[in-house]
Structures are given as C-alpha cells and as structure tokens.
Amino acid sequence: MKINFMRFGALLGAVLLMISCNNDDNTINNNNVQEKIILNTDSSTLNNRIKFDNSGVLDINLPFAGKDNDPVAGSFPLELVAEINPPVYQGLTLKATHVAINGNYAYVSYNMQGEAYAGAIDVIDITNPNVPQLVMQAILPNTDVSSVSYDNGVLYIAGAASIDAYQDLDSPAFVAAMTLSNGLLTTNYAQTTLTGNVGTSVTSSGNKYFAVSGDNGALAQLNKSTHQVEMAIPVSDLRAVAYNSNKVVILSGTQGIKVYNANNLNQQNTFATSQDVADAKRTIDFLGNNSLLVSEGYNGLGVYNMNSGNKTQTVTVPTSVEGVDPSDITTNAVSVNDDKVYIANGGAGLYIYQNGNGNQGLDIMGSINLGSSCNYVISKDKYIFAAMGNGGLKIVHILSNVQTIDCTDFPTYNGSAWLNVNSNQTKEYQGSASIQGANINSNSNLTFCGSLAVSQGLNVNSNGTFYMKGSLAQGQANNPWLSLNVNSNAIFRVEGSVVIYGNLVLNSNSTIEFVGSGSSITIYGNVTKGSNVTITGTYTDTFNKLN
C-alpha cells in the first residue's frame, strides 16, 4: 500500500537491475522479489515525446507600462525551445518532480500520483540549445522518484519504493547513488533505506551526501564510499535539503529551517518559517553565503538571513490572476541563477526577479504564463526548466548577450515594445531586449548588438538593412504567419545565432549575409524565396531550410 504523504518520488528499489530496451507501455514481470529498470535508448521512440508546437519567443508580462499604457520593451529575452511530455507506464501518466543539470545533460525525475508506485528518469541532451534531444530513459516500476542531484559523475536519487513489492524493506523511503557513464544512466548504483515514508530531497558535497525523508523521517548523512548512514537526526515533515558554504540546510513544513555544520552535523542555527502543512513539494536556494530563499506555499517566498534567522523580505504570491483559481496560486519552488531568481507560483505561472544591490532585496522583472500550473523550477547556465501541473516539462532558453564587436557607445534599447526605424534613419543599440515586433523601413539601418527576442513579426523593408550581431529569436511555432520578412533589395546581415520559429520570407532581390565564422540559423517554419535571392557567407543551417 502506498503511503500518500509528501510522496514525490523514489528510485531503484530493486535488488537486481535487468536491462531491456522497450517503450513506455511494456509490462514488467516482478517475480515477487526482484524488479527491473527498463532502460530505453531508442531515440526515435524517445524523441516522440519532445514537442515544438508551442516553441517561440516568450512575452514577459511586465509589472509596468509605458506612456499611455503602451507596452514597453523588456530587458530579458527568453524563448521556449521545447516541451517534454511525461513518460507513460502501463497506461498511467507520470509527473515531473525534479531536474538536475550536468553540463550538456539534464536529468529529469518523475513519479506517479495515487496509490501505485512508478517512476522514471529522463536524460536530455541540451548541447544544441534550440533542438534538445531525449537520449535516454529509465522506467522504474514500484518506485517513485522525488529528487535527483548531480555531483562529480554520480546521480544521487531520493524517493520511495513499494513495501508490498519489496517485502524485505523496513520502510519505503530511500536514497541511492548511481555512477554515470559519460553522463548516461547505468546499473552501477547503491541504494540505502531511510526512516520515513518517502525520501524527498538529496544533495552532496566532498565525501558525503545528505538526504531527507518526509513523515516520520530524518536528515541522514551518508558516506560516498560505503553508502552507509553515518548520522541521522530525526526531524518531522522534511521537504528539502541543500548545501552551501560548508552548511547543510533543511526545510521542515512544521519546524522551519535548521542549519548544520556539514562536517559533523552540529546544529548551528534554527528559525521558524511560515508553517506549510500542505502535502506539497517545496525547495530552498541561496543568494550568496548569507541569504536563504524559502518557498512557503500560500505565504509566498521568504528571504532570510541564514546567520541571524531574521526575515529580510517577503515576496507575496500574486493576489489574483484572471482565469486561475486562487487556491492554485502558491509558491512551490525557487531557483537562483546569477543575479536572477525564478519562482514557481503554481497557476500564476513563473515569476522572475532581479537580485537588487545592497539591501534593496528582490525586484520583480515580470512573469511568464507557461500554459499550466508551474510546480517546480530550476535554472542553470542559459536554461530554465519548469515542471508543470500536467506532468510535463518546459525548457526555456535565455538568449545570450553576445557582443561580437565593441558596442559600448551604443545605447541600450528601452523604448516601445514595437521597434520602428523610420525611413532614412540609422539606429544602433546594444544589450538585451524583449519586444513584440520590429520594422526597419525603406532606406533605414538598424544595428543591434547583443540579444534580441521578437515575439511577433519582423520586417526589413525595401532597401533597408538589419545588422544583427549576437543572438536573435523571432516568432512562435504556433503562429507561422508571424514571419521574418526580408523585402526587395533589403539586407539581413547576421553575425551570431538566429532562430526563427515561424516562416522566413525572402522577397525578390533580397539578401542574407552571414559575417565571419560560427554563425547559425534555425528555421522551424517554411522558407519562401522570390527571384534573385542572395545568401552569402559561412553558416550552419540547422534544418537545411535555406537550400
């Protein structure tokens, strides 16, 4: 029987792993004692779960408007590059629970709601930011996977296994360590039973790793060599564990935050947070060495001084969102990446904050509606991964602010959400911008140096020139008529990366010039060419659309 408290996942609950390559719906014979992990490396089967139908530039809902409430340009260009549908096992759809990132690989864990136990781990190759590939999958019958963490070639896993299927287990909760092979899943692992009903979170550092388990659970310290529990501290209702600056920090839904020395688990501090009795996933993250961010459900995000325990800021949940039940607006997770803070606010979507200087705290930049409830978020490098209420995963790419020449004398664009360059004008900008559309009119010139996201149409009109130096993303896959148009005798000059989610229209006598080496163009829609179209330079055409 499955214990339905804080059960976000579990993994590898078998004495012996047997490998086979099958699809998600294969039946597994348990033989009453031993379980199988089903490894699948069939790219044609796996990549059917990757969808690009809604890919494209994301409009950020800004907390302010321009003059006369006209929309203004944003400063943080984002593109939704793909959606990953969850695995299906024996006709039941799993739900994404956690993501760990290692270079060009992302590891996504899944569990199953309800009484049945079943989990999975996906390995996603994000080497090409615009075309992620699902390269490996493990289905884990009779085991839920609630959390994964990567460290130095090992994937650490927390979750719960069915005590009905594995009658020799003392409790469902466990933590496991899987040694990877060139970043991919293997059967080289060790599993350790924990007290409690479900392992909810795991982290590691040095020669130790740390796991927490939920109801009737504990904080456990394990040896990386022997995988034995060296110390365990009982704490009720544990939701998350994290490591920072030789400190192990845990979050309890009833007892708040506890801070321990990572070497000996001596308690250094404890302080209350908003009590969160909901059976839901919660995460914590750090701003530097002293500030701790805590997702607190309906109480929003709490920012605490980790040394004093004082609360320095409360980021409340949105008061109301049109068409969303207020009970679905809750802060589920938080993730810090550089100077940005990402908050999963359930039905309200994904919110983005800037870390202010000094004591200014977090300043809101805007929000993104990703189509369903946002239950979990993690961001690293140039990616944002969001687990959604429908069980799937959204992969968002942060456009790089690449300056290929010295653009320091160019102003930053902060005008209207529609960038218009009038006839016979020359405009030059640098930095990062997110806009709705752009018109480079007849006999005008626009140079943009940095990263630019254009959610709707982009027109380079007759005898106009658009010189894009850096990263450009334009359009949306589900709106192919929002095209990039290069009209008669116009020039589209590229030095960097261009992604077009709709169609590219090259009218008669138009020109695309690729400058230097290393430029690329990715076109998801169709290419229409008039007569005497010229394409010059060295470039990579991802889908061979320009031929």
Side-chain angles (χ1 to χ4, degrees):
M1 175 183 231
K2 188 172 191 174
I3 300 171
N4 214 3
F5 185 93
M6 285 291 300
R7 57 139 237 99
F8 306 121
L11 169 66
L12 304 179
V15 178
L16 177 68
L17 292 181
M18 302 182 68
I19 305 173
S20 63
C21 292
N22 293 302
N23 62 34
D24 294 339
D25 294 321
N26 279 96
T27 300
I28 298 175
N29 296 318
N30 298 327
N31 296 324
N32 297 323
V33 178
Q34 296 177 338
E35 189 72 79
K36 294 178 181 179
I37 286 182
I38 304 174
L39 295 181
N40 184 359
T41 57
D42 182 359
S43 59
S44 61
T45 300
L46 294 174
N47 284 315
N48 286 335
R49 289 173 41 212
I50 299 182
K51 304 300 179 185
F52 300 97
D53 298 352
N54 297 314
S55 298
V57 173
L58 291 168
D59 280 325
I60 298 180
N61 301 313
L62 302 174
F64 51 83
K67 184 178 180 181
D68 299 325
N69 292 320
D70 287 337
V72 296
S75 60
F76 196 50
L78 302 172
E79 54 182 338
L80 176 66
V81 296
E83 298 168 292
I84 311 294
N85 287 339
V88 176
Y89 173 64
Q90 293 187 340
L92 298 174
T93 301
L94 307 185
K95 294 178 71 68
T97 57
H98 208 88
V99 181
I101 302 171
N102 162 37
N104 289 326
Y105 287 125
Y107 307 92
V108 186
S109 62
Y110 299 86
N111 73 359
M112 184 178 289
Q113 288 187 321
E115 290 299 314
Y117 284 85
I121 298 175
D122 283 337
V123 183
I124 302 171
D125 187 341
I126 51 176
T127 303
N128 185 333
N130 298 302
V131 191
Q133 299 292 308
L134 185 50
V135 296
M136 196 173 199
Q137 173 198 77
I139 291 287
L140 296 99
N142 297 317
T143 304
D144 283 342
V145 186
S146 52
S147 180
V148 288
S149 178
Y150 173 85
D151 182 21
N152 194 30
V154 178
L155 191 67
Y156 295 94
I157 304 138
S162 169
I163 58 177
D164 292 333
Y166 306 112
Q167 298 178 5
D168 58 335
L169 295 179
D170 295 327
S171 65
F174 76 89
V175 64
M178 176 188 288
T179 301
L180 304 177
S181 176
N182 297 319
L184 298 179
L185 307 176
T186 72
T187 58
N188 183 1
Y189 81 100
Q191 177 182 317
T192 305
T193 300
L194 303 174
T195 60
N197 295 329
V198 55
T200 56
S201 184
V202 60
T203 190
S204 66
S205 179
N207 59 0
K208 312 291 183 185
Y209 59 106
F210 307 87
V212 293
S213 48
D215 194 23
N216 300 315
L219 163 65
Q221 174 185 290
L222 295 94
N223 185 290
K224 282 187 175 179
S225 298
T226 66
H227 306 290
Q228 297 298 309
V229 176
E230 297 178 331
M231 283 183 278
I233 301 174
V235 183
S236 64
D237 193 16
L238 283 170
R239 309 296 184 89
V241 60
Y243 174 91
N244 187 47
S245 188
N246 205 43
K247 296 181 177 67
V248 174
V249 183
I250 61 174
L251 170 65
S252 163
T254 55
Q255 299 183 34
I257 291 293
K258 296 181 183 295
V259 182
Y260 300 89
N261 181 292
N263 297 326
N264 50 28
L265 286 192
N266 286 338
Q267 184 172 301
Q268 297 180 332
N269 199 4
T270 180
F271 52 89
T273 61
S274 300
Q275 285 207 3
D276 183 6
V277 296
D279 295 349
K281 191 177 184 75
R282 299 288 182 253
T283 69
I284 55 180
D285 209 342
F286 305 93
L287 278 174
N289 293 329
N290 297 322
S291 290
L292 177 68
L293 308 184
V294 181
S295 58
E296 298 182 340
Y298 293 116
N299 295 296
L301 179 79
V303 183
Y304 296 85
N305 183 298
M306 197 159 53
N307 296 321
S308 68
N310 293 332
K311 194 172 192 177
T312 59
Q313 186 178 1
T314 297
V315 179
T316 59
V317 295
T319 55
S320 64
V321 177
E322 185 177 355
V324 177
D325 187 334
S327 65
D328 192 33
I329 302 177
T330 173
T331 297
N332 296 315
V334 60
S335 180
V336 178
N337 187 1
D338 291 333
D339 61 348
K340 304 295 189 300
V341 175
Y342 304 89
I343 302 175
N345 277 330
L350 177 65
Y351 279 63
I352 305 170
Y353 287 77
Q354 177 87 35
N355 181 24
N357 295 323
N359 296 320
Q360 295 178 3
L362 303 180
D363 299 320
I364 188 167
M365 297 182 66
S367 64
I368 303 170
N369 183 351
L370 293 174
S372 62
S373 182
C374 189
N375 294 339
Y376 172 79
V377 63
I378 187 171
S379 179
K380 187 175 180 181
D381 298 329
K382 294 299 180 183
Y383 286 93
I384 306 166
F385 295 85
M388 310 307 294
N390 60 8
L393 187 78
K394 310 274 188 177
I395 303 178
V396 177
H397 182 234
I398 305 167
L399 270 69
S400 302
N401 185 359
V402 179
Q403 295 189 353
T404 55
I405 61 172
D406 183 3
C407 304
T408 54
D409 292 334
F410 294 176
T412 299
Y413 182 74
N414 56 10
S416 169
W418 284 86
L419 197 169
N420 287 298
V421 184
N422 295 326
S423 297
N424 302 308
Q425 278 189 329
T426 295
K427 297 289 185 180
E428 297 171 328
Y429 299 106
Q430 59 92 17
S432 300
S434 177
I435 62 176
Q436 294 180 11
N439 290 303
I440 298 93
N441 288 304
S442 299
N443 300 304
S444 65
N445 291 271
L446 171 64
T447 299
F448 199 100
C449 186
S451 56
L452 179 65
V454 184
S455 62
Q456 299 185 35
L458 193 160
N459 301 302
V460 187
N461 291 317
S462 298
N463 298 301
T465 299
F466 176 30
Y467 193 168
M468 183 66 221
K469 297 172 176 287
S471 300
L472 169 69
Q474 184 271 330
Q476 297 171 349
N478 57 357
N479 291 311
W481 52 90
L482 300 176
S483 56
L484 193 158
N485 303 303
V486 185
N487 291 316
S488 177
N489 297 310
I491 299 173
F492 179 30
R493 187 171 293 127
V494 175
E495 188 175 352
S497 169
V498 171
V499 181
I500 302 170
Y501 287 96
N503 296 330
L504 172 64
V505 179
L506 302 173
N507 288 308
S508 297
N509 301 304
S510 62
T511 299
I512 300 181
E513 296 178 359
F514 291 93
V515 179
S517 60
S519 292
S520 66
I521 187 165
T522 302
I523 306 166
Y524 285 88
N526 298 318
V527 176
T528 301
K529 291 183 183 179
S531 59
N532 300 317
V533 170
T534 302
I535 301 173
T536 63
T538 302
Y539 61 96
T540 299
D541 183 359
T542 303
F543 297 132
N544 296 315
K545 294 290 184 75
L546 292 182
N547 292 336

